[in-house]
C-alpha cells in the first residue's frame, strides 16, 4: 500500500486504478466520524490520527483504523518564500536550516530547492512513547515513529526505548529532556 499526503496523490491513484491499501497521512484530516466515513467511501483503508486532536477526542473518534504518531518533529507549515535564498542566497541544494522566533524557540526549515518551497518543523519533537497506557487505551492499528532530522545514534536510542516499553514491557520512561506532547 501507500501513504498519501494530498488529494492530488489520491486522484493519481484513482487514475492508475491502484488496488492496494491507501492510508491518509495526518494532514488529510479525519477530525470526525463524518469525514472518516467520507474517506472510507472514497477508498481509504486506514488513516493517520490528526495531531490536532487530544486524547479524549481521539478516543471519541475511534483509532482502530488509525496509525498514531508517537514520536516526531511535527511539520507546522509549508512556505513559498525560500528561507535560504532570503538569508544567504540560493545554493540550489536542499538542506536543513534553523529559525528562531522572538520567544527564542527554534524551528527547523527544510528547503525543497527543486520546487522552491520550505517545510517548517517544530524544533521540539512530539514524544508520547512513555504514555503507553493512554496510547493502548486508544487501540490504534499501529504506532509511527517519524524520523526527519535525527542522527543514527538518536534513532537507535529511540527505537531501543520503544522496544523496551512496548516489546519488553519495561516501565515507561522518557529518554528525552526537551520535547512536547503536542495536543495529546
Amino acid at each position: 500500500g501507500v501513504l498519501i499526503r494530498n488529494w492530488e496523490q489520491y486522484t493519481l491513484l484513482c487514475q492508475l486504478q491502484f488496488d492496494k491499501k491507501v492510508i491518509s497521512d495526518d494532514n488529510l484530516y479525519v477530525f470526525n466520524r463524518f469525514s472518516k466515513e467520507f474517506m472510507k467511501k472514497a477508498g481509504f483503508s486506514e488513516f493517520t490520527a490528526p495531531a490536532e486532536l487530544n486524547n479524549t477526542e481521539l478516543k471519541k473518534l475511534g483509532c482502530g483504523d488509525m496509525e498514531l504518531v508517537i514520536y516526531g518533529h511535527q511539520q507546522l507549515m509549508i512556505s513559498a518564500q525560500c528561507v535560504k535564498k532570503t538569508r544567504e542566497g540560493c545554493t540550489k541544494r536542499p538542506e536543513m536550516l534553523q529559525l528562531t522566533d522572538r520567544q527564542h524557540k527554534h524551528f527547523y526549515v527544510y528547503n525543497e530547492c527543486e520546487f522552491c518551497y520550505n517545510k517548517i518543523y517544530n524544533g521540539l519533537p512530539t514524544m508520547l512513547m512513555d504514555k503507553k497506557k493512554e496510547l493502548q487505551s486508544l487501540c490504534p492499528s499501529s504506532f509511527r515513529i517519524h524520523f526527519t532530522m535525527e542522527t543514527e545514534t538518536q534513532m537507535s536510542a529511540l527505537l531501543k526505548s520503544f522496544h523496551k516499553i512496548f516489546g519488553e514491557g519495561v516501565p515507561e520512561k522518557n529518554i528525552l529532556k526537551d520535547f512536547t506532547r503536542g495536543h495529546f
Side-chain angles (χ1 to χ4, degrees):
V2 294
L3 177 72
I4 65 169
R5 301 214 59 193
N6 58 54
W7 286 104
E8 291 82 2
Q9 292 173 335
Y10 171 77
T11 302
L12 177 63
L13 291 177
C14 289
Q15 290 170 354
L16 297 172
Q17 298 177 341
F18 186 79
D19 63 351
K20 295 185 176 30
K21 187 189 299 191
V22 178
I23 304 169
S24 67
D25 207 355
D26 64 349
N27 60 327
L28 285 174
Y29 301 114
V30 180
F31 275 112
N32 56 47
R33 58 190 164 102
F34 301 110
S35 59
K36 196 179 203 185
E37 191 58 37
F38 171 82
M39 290 177 73
K40 279 184 180 181
K41 285 180 184 173
F44 289 87
S45 48
E46 288 185 34
F47 313 95
T48 304
E52 289 85 352
L53 297 183
N54 63 36
N55 186 11
T56 304
E57 293 165 331
L58 288 168
K59 196 170 283 191
K60 185 176 179 181
L61 179 61
C63 291
D65 52 2
M66 293 186 150
E67 181 173 77
L68 187 61
V69 179
I70 61 172
Y71 172 84
H73 287 270
Q74 178 72 34
Q75 184 176 314
L76 302 175
M77 72 173 73
I78 293 178
S79 169
Q81 286 73 32
C82 181
V83 173
K84 178 74 172 175
K85 183 177 177 181
T86 302
R87 284 174 54 179
E88 307 164 10
C90 183
T91 60
K92 305 261 189 252
R93 287 189 325 267
E95 62 184 292
M96 191 69 74
L97 307 168
Q98 254 193 15
L99 290 177
T100 305
D101 71 7
R102 67 184 183 283
Q103 297 173 332
H104 305 289
K105 302 246 189 247
H106 298 281
F107 299 89
Y108 293 104
V109 179
Y110 183 75
N111 62 321
E112 293 276 1
C113 285
E114 184 178 357
F115 303 106
C116 201
Y117 69 90
N118 299 281
K119 295 178 186 174
I120 302 175
Y121 296 90
N122 193 339
L124 293 176
T126 299
M127 171 60 119
L128 302 175
M129 281 193 232
D130 61 329
K131 297 288 184 187
K132 180 179 177 181
K133 289 176 187 160
E134 292 94 329
L135 295 172
Q136 287 181 324
S137 75
L138 293 171
C139 301
S141 62
S142 60
F143 296 121
R144 184 190 310 170
I145 298 171
H146 189 116
F147 296 129
T148 50
M149 61 208 68
E150 291 75 8
T151 65
E152 186 176 336
T153 302
Q154 290 168 325
M155 287 188 285
S156 179
L158 286 160
L159 291 171
K160 284 178 185 173
S161 176
F162 176 80
H163 180 71
K164 282 182 181 177
I165 294 169
F166 288 89
E168 298 174 4
V170 173
E172 304 162 16
K173 182 180 175 206
N174 196 330
I175 63 169
L176 296 180
K177 183 177 74 171
D178 294 324
F179 61 92
T180 180
R181 298 278 187 211
H183 289 279
F184 190 78

